[in-house]
Amino acid sequence: MDTQTKIAIIAIVTIIPILSFAVWNIDQSIISAAADSTEISVMTSFYPLYEFTKQVGQDKVRVSLLVPPGIEPHDWEPTINELQKMYEANLIVINGIGFESWVDDIDTINSGVVIVDTSAGVSLINIDHSSVDPHIWLNPVMAKTQVTNIVNALIKIDPTNEKFYRDNAKSYQAKLDSLDTKIKNELSACKKDFITFHNAFLYFSIQYDLNQHTIIRSNDSHSEPTLKTLEQIINLAKKFNIDVIFAEEALDTRTSQVIANEIGAKVLVLSPIEVGDENSNYLSKMENNLLNLKEALCN
Ligand SMILES: [Zn+2]
């Protein structure tokens, strides 16, 4: 590694904070969740669950998103006021697997609110001895299970609309099936190793027989890489002849850029779909991830 690269890496590690920026302008704030007594009110903890719940509930359900616009959900915590607002919902939809560290603060017994853990029934993977990987939504087959858990919860609360919810879930799950088949077909003959930013693509990689390498080791996308891990990742990129370094759309891309410059690679986005935006949805973001993975692996 030359001196300039070393200086650039040190600058990233020590000086430049990894910033989130707002990409979501839709009014989906918690304040809009004031209850209309005839409507089912559902709060969802972060973007994919908001989307899945909307797909199933459509106009029968008022869906809101708990994490405020542009905020990356890994380290979000509700204020007391936001916790109070959650008690006005019929249902709170969470990812589970410890992704929502605040969920234990909710008093379900006294508030009557029902919490749906959408990870129920998914085979989980330990990242290390103390933590389990929460990023199940990036595997479309696991996303189908999350949709099933959402539809079952809605039917329990609103049994009169059972058929409506089941039909909607079925047609959305068919789209997830097509997505799964498409990714499988289009990546099957390609290279396997890719470098992404944080540890979000393990379930995805297992599903499509790929090897994920990450720039930051922690499960938390806000932690910062060390000089040593950056050196290791540059060596690894050289070893696998990698010519694309991935970055995330909601985080600073400079770390990925420094690595890419060092090895003559380019930077593309691989979205962990943790933050939504008004121009795309879960399916279109997954399609875009596929396009960028093909550029990285199939050339
Ligand atoms: Zn993540």
Side-chain angles (χ1 to χ4, degrees):
M1 197 184 303
D2 63 33
T3 315
Q4 265 194 335
T5 307
K6 223 162 204 164
I7 289 166
I9 289 176
I10 289 166
I12 281 174
V13 173
T14 59
I15 302 162
I16 304 166
I18 297 174
L19 300 169
S20 291
F21 55 89
V23 289
W24 184 300
N25 300 313
I26 299 170
D27 173 27
Q28 30 65 322
S29 102
I30 191 164
I31 296 119
S32 70
D36 167 342
S37 61
T38 59
E39 219 171 20
I40 307 295
S41 164
V42 181
M43 288 188 180
T44 56
S45 69
F46 80 122
Y47 177 71
L49 301 177
Y50 172 83
E51 165 111 17
F52 298 161
T53 307
K54 272 208 164 281
Q55 290 290 337
V56 177
Q58 297 192 16
D59 59 340
K60 306 265 190 264
V61 173
R62 177 199 292 259
V63 187
S64 20
L65 188 55
L66 284 170
V67 179
I71 301 297
E72 208 282 334
H74 271 285
D75 30 56
W76 181 79
E77 293 268 359
T79 62
I80 302 278
N81 192 33
E82 284 166 328
L83 271 176
Q84 285 298 329
K85 284 275 174 197
M86 290 185 205
Y87 295 143
E88 292 169 18
N90 300 99
L91 207 64
I92 298 174
V93 178
I94 63 166
N95 185 70
I97 324 168
F99 195 65
E100 297 86 356
S101 56
W102 43 266
V103 81
D104 293 340
D105 298 339
I106 296 174
D107 180 354
T108 49
I109 295 164
N110 288 316
S111 65
V113 65
V114 176
I115 297 174
V116 190
D117 181 337
T118 60
S119 71
V122 171
S123 301
L124 304 174
I125 296 169
N126 283 318
I127 307 165
D128 53 50
H129 55 278
S130 64
S131 53
V132 180
D133 191 333
H135 300 89
I136 54 174
W137 64 92
L138 292 169
N139 176 340
V141 177
M142 292 178 171
K144 279 178 68 186
T145 302
Q146 294 188 284
V147 171
T148 298
N149 287 322
I150 291 167
V151 74
N152 289 341
L154 284 175
I155 288 167
K156 249 185 214 159
I157 280 183
D158 182 21
T160 35
N161 288 310
E162 172 168 357
K163 188 177 175 338
F164 177 79
Y165 297 139
R166 282 205 196 286
D167 290 349
N168 293 342
K170 213 173 156 191
S171 75
Y172 193 65
Q173 285 171 324
K175 288 179 188 165
L176 293 171
D177 272 333
S178 312
L179 174 70
D180 174 51
T181 307
K182 185 175 178 186
I183 300 172
K184 212 169 268 169
N185 290 342
E186 296 190 5
L187 292 181
S188 64
C190 304
K191 292 188 287 185
K192 304 293 179 198
D193 291 86
F194 66 102
I195 297 177
T196 189
F197 192 70
H198 87 288
N199 175 43
F201 294 90
L202 185 57
Y203 295 105
F204 180 92
S205 297
I206 290 167
Q207 181 68 11
Y208 303 110
D209 192 24
L210 302 174
N211 302 321
Q212 167 192 247
H213 305 278
T214 62
I215 295 171
I216 56 171
R217 291 297 158 91
S218 154
N219 194 38
D220 176 358
S221 60
H222 280 195
S223 69
E224 296 178 21
T226 63
L227 179 58
K228 192 169 167 236
T229 57
L230 287 178
E231 281 182 325
Q232 283 169 348
I233 215 79
I234 285 167
N235 290 336
L236 189 115
K238 286 176 179 163
K239 179 180 151 199
F240 288 109
N241 278 322
I242 279 172
D243 43 28
V244 170
I245 301 294
F246 287 111
E248 296 183 13
E249 80 276 50
L251 295 172
D252 194 300
T253 61
R254 279 173 288 192
T255 310
S256 303
Q257 195 62 60
V258 167
I259 297 167
N261 289 349
E262 172 68 15
I263 59 167
K266 67 173 144 185
V267 174
L268 292 176
V269 166
L270 195 62
S271 173
I273 321 185
E274 292 176 355
V275 180
D277 65 74
E278 59 188 346
N279 301 315
S280 57
N281 55 45
Y282 174 88
L283 291 171
S284 69
K285 277 179 181 281
M286 289 295 282
E287 292 273 356
N288 200 56
N289 280 350
L290 175 59
L291 271 181
N292 287 346
L293 276 167
K294 279 165 69 180
E295 189 159 345
L297 301 175
C298 310
N299 286 328

